[in-house]
Amino acid sequence: MENAPGDVKGVPEAQREKDIPNGGMEKHADEHKQDVNDASLEKSFHSTEGRSETPVNDLETTEHDTASNGTSYATALKSGLNGQDVEESRLARRPNSQDDDESYPELDDMTLDDYHPPPKTTANGAIRWAPWNVPLKRRLQTLVVLSHCMCIVLTVSLFFALCANPFAWPLLLVYLLHVLSSKAATDGSLKFRSEWFRKSYMWHLFAGYFPAKLHKTHDLPPTRKYIFGYHPHGIISHGAWAAFATDALGFSQKFPGITNSLLTLDSNFRIPLYREYVLAAGVRSVSKESIVNILTKGGPNGEGMGRGVTIVIGGARESLEAQPGQMRLILKERKGFVKIAVRTGADLVPVLAFGENNLYDQLRPGEHPLVHRLQMFVLKVWKFTLPFLHGRGIFNYDVGLMPYRRPLNVVVGAPIKVTQAAVVDQAEINRLHDLYVAELQKLWDRYKDDFMPDRKEEMQILS
């Protein structure tokens, strides 16, 4: 998934400190946070499926495990569940709650009952195989995620299988003419969008695999239009799909009256059969034409009221920065989406997905410079890249291309009001971009201890 076109290069980077114009940052309660035991911090959830470390606090949770007693997963990471009272640990995290940014509320965290870490690694580092008695629901979750990850391969294979049948040729000819002439991905009409498909039970299984959760922090009036900026890209943006291409996480209930469309590369709508899959999920092209049409057509007033689009701002370039425990965003020079917001009068809404970068491991650029150079060359020439990723397997926890079962918390931030203007002023673009970056920083500072307590570093905004 890519960012909107028209990004401006060479613009001075947005300040990330408290004296950002019109978006001053406040001091947060985490500055007063008590020190925690180093040993408990080292046992992080993103390393539980690695082959050299053990699960969180050496705990193995099963379908019938009741030891957690509804304990917050983040709290468990902090306290170690080694005798420290859970409520004391919760208070220790925020000793002075009145210092928190009042604009962002306390959010519900997942409990240990929602998350199923793998068994401990063996002494010799052998592959850990899944047991035979895994509950059927978890098997179905794996099947749905596998099918989604393989959907391009499956649909293209089916298309070529049909091509091998001469009796299907007349239908295929008509279909290919339709694909070449269709404007469904860019005309803003949202044709072929299926609410039945988006609300299908299989997507609840998909979201439960990680598990994923959508968090609302502010109301979004359905009388406005919105551009949601999703961060980070991760490897495949599974969180963006679960939250915005399906209704598995309850977007329609949390934000009633808003019809949102996840955006992806225009080339995806040239893949036979696969295009029908993404169109049914409400996914549309990330081209400038598509965004403008979606936000200026339809809705109760016929001018886009109550519509929204979700753009994965960092794009393919940001996917190369996806490493567990890190949050590196390609955003400093990405201002094309702000321009379109001013042109259409759409409010900007930052979205931060805690855990997106933890779903896969990939080669680190610093350790494999030649591979990184090749990836950047492919990105420059063909506008996409394929990270050399590593995940878990279907029947094991260590080897494969399936995403890890690690928690995903997608937090929707406060809207930044944008005034529509026919003439785009660069000073206004810079001001709105600064406000957007400042709001992202607020989201990070407010919820990093809740949803990313085992982080390796603070959030970084890169060029």
Side-chain angles (χ1 to χ4, degrees):
M1 300 181 185
E2 275 289 359
N3 58 296
D7 293 343
V8 178
K9 303 292 183 182
V11 178
E13 64 183 67
Q15 292 178 322
R16 294 169 52 201
E17 304 299 331
K18 63 182 179 180
D19 43 335
I20 293 176
N22 300 292
M25 302 299 297
E26 298 182 4
K27 294 184 179 180
H28 299 275
D30 60 291
E31 295 178 359
H32 309 289
K33 182 179 57 179
Q34 294 183 354
D35 293 335
V36 295
N37 188 288
D38 291 340
S40 65
L41 282 177
E42 291 174 359
K43 298 177 180 180
S44 60
F45 72 79
H46 72 258
S47 63
T48 60
E49 296 184 269
R51 300 187 57 183
S52 61
E53 298 186 44
T54 59
V56 179
N57 307 304
D58 296 339
L59 288 178
E60 295 181 36
T61 56
T62 65
E63 194 73 10
H64 306 288
D65 186 5
T66 59
S68 64
N69 194 26
T71 302
S72 162
Y73 187 72
T75 302
L77 284 174
K78 291 280 185 175
S79 64
L81 291 181
N82 55 2
Q84 181 180 0
D85 183 81
V86 171
E87 187 60 28
E88 290 179 3
S89 175
R90 190 185 304 274
L91 293 175
R93 289 163 51 205
R94 300 190 182 281
N96 190 4
S97 59
Q98 65 183 6
D99 289 340
D100 287 339
D101 188 340
E102 294 180 357
S103 65
Y104 283 109
E106 189 79 21
L107 297 178
D108 293 333
D109 194 7
M110 296 178 187
T111 67
L112 285 175
D113 293 329
D114 298 322
Y115 175 62
H116 302 279
K120 294 183 292 184
T121 55
T122 58
N124 58 1
I127 295 177
R128 296 167 295 168
W129 295 93
W132 289 105
N133 61 345
V134 171
L136 176 61
K137 184 176 181 179
R138 292 178 63 192
R139 291 294 191 194
L140 292 176
Q141 291 171 347
T142 301
L143 176 62
V144 171
V145 173
L146 174 64
S147 301
H148 176 69
C149 292
M150 296 286 293
C151 59
I152 293 183
V153 175
L154 293 174
T155 53
V156 171
S157 299
L158 177 59
F159 175 76
F160 282 112
L162 292 173
C163 289
N165 183 359
F167 294 101
W169 290 354
L171 292 176
L172 290 177
L173 178 60
V174 174
Y175 174 72
L176 289 176
L177 290 174
H178 164 71
V179 170
L180 293 174
S181 61
S182 175
K183 300 294 184 182
T186 59
D187 62 8
S189 65
L190 303 187
K191 289 187 299 184
F192 308 116
R193 178 187 175 108
S194 170
E195 292 304 321
W196 172 85
F197 181 73
R198 287 168 52 86
K199 295 180 179 180
S200 173
Y201 178 68
M202 69 176 179
W203 299 124
H204 292 275
L205 293 172
F206 178 88
Y209 172 90
F210 302 101
K213 190 171 184 178
L214 180 65
H215 300 273
K216 170 185 174 180
T217 62
H218 292 76
D219 290 329
L220 299 181
T223 53
R224 301 286 296 173
K225 56 186 80 171
Y226 302 95
I227 293 180
F228 297 85
Y230 184 89
H231 310 270
H233 184 285
I235 302 294
I236 306 181
S237 300
H238 286 303
W241 180 272
F244 303 111
T246 79
D247 202 35
L249 303 186
F251 182 91
S252 62
Q253 287 77 39
K254 296 178 187 298
F255 304 103
I258 298 176
T259 302
N260 187 37
S261 301
L262 180 64
L263 305 183
T264 186
L265 289 172
D266 191 63
S267 57
N268 286 322
F269 299 95
R270 296 291 178 262
I271 303 176
L273 300 184
Y274 176 71
R275 69 184 299 275
E276 320 306 329
Y277 176 78
V278 293
L279 284 173
V283 179
R284 294 298 182 264
S285 169
V286 76
S287 66
K288 180 179 179 180
E289 176 191 6
S290 172
I291 301 172
V292 172
N293 284 337
I294 292 173
L295 296 177
T296 56
K297 297 179 179 180
N301 64 348
E303 298 179 355
M305 184 174 71
R307 283 194 169 186
V309 296
T310 299
I311 307 174
V312 186
I313 306 296
R317 170 69 182 87
E318 191 171 88
S319 69
L320 300 180
E321 300 291 340
Q323 297 288 346
Q326 298 178 351
M327 185 76 75
R328 298 181 178 180
L329 309 182
I330 306 298
L331 184 59
K332 282 185 179 180
E333 298 178 358
R334 303 274 171 135
K335 299 186 179 181
F337 71 103
V338 182
K339 280 187 174 182
I340 295 180
V342 172
R343 177 178 173 182
T344 61
D347 294 345
L348 296 170
V349 183
V351 180
L352 208 53
F354 294 88
E356 183 71 64
N357 285 344
N358 296 333
L359 302 183
Y360 293 95
D361 294 312
Q362 69 167 318
L363 298 182
R364 295 182 177 274
E367 299 175 3
H368 303 274
L370 293 180
V371 173
H372 183 65
R373 203 171 301 169
L374 174 63
Q375 291 174 318
M376 294 301 294
F377 173 77
V378 173
L379 176 62
K380 182 178 181 180
V381 175
W382 287 288
K383 306 303 180 185
F384 75 92
T385 188
L386 294 176
F388 290 87
L389 59 91
H390 168 265
R392 58 164 289 167
I394 302 174
F395 300 110
N396 73 81
Y397 300 108
D398 301 294
V399 181
L401 299 179
M402 290 279 290
Y404 293 120
R405 282 180 176 265
R406 294 170 178 171
L408 258 175
N409 287 280
V410 182
V411 184
V412 180
I416 300 170
K417 189 170 183 179
V418 176
T419 302
Q420 188 171 3
V423 179
V424 180
D425 179 63
Q426 188 60 48
E428 178 66 5
I429 296 299
N430 293 339
R431 184 187 74 84
L432 290 171
H433 188 269
D434 288 349
L435 286 175
Y436 185 87
V437 173
E439 207 63 42
L440 266 180
Q441 190 68 47
K442 284 184 181 180
L443 273 178
W444 169 260
D445 290 335
R446 180 64 177 84
Y447 298 117
K448 62 185 180 182
D449 290 328
D450 293 330
F451 302 136
M452 207 167 171
D454 57 340
R455 60 191 177 277
K456 297 178 180 177
E457 61 183 27
E458 295 299 305
M459 184 175 73
Q460 297 184 33
I461 308 295
L462 308 177
S463 300

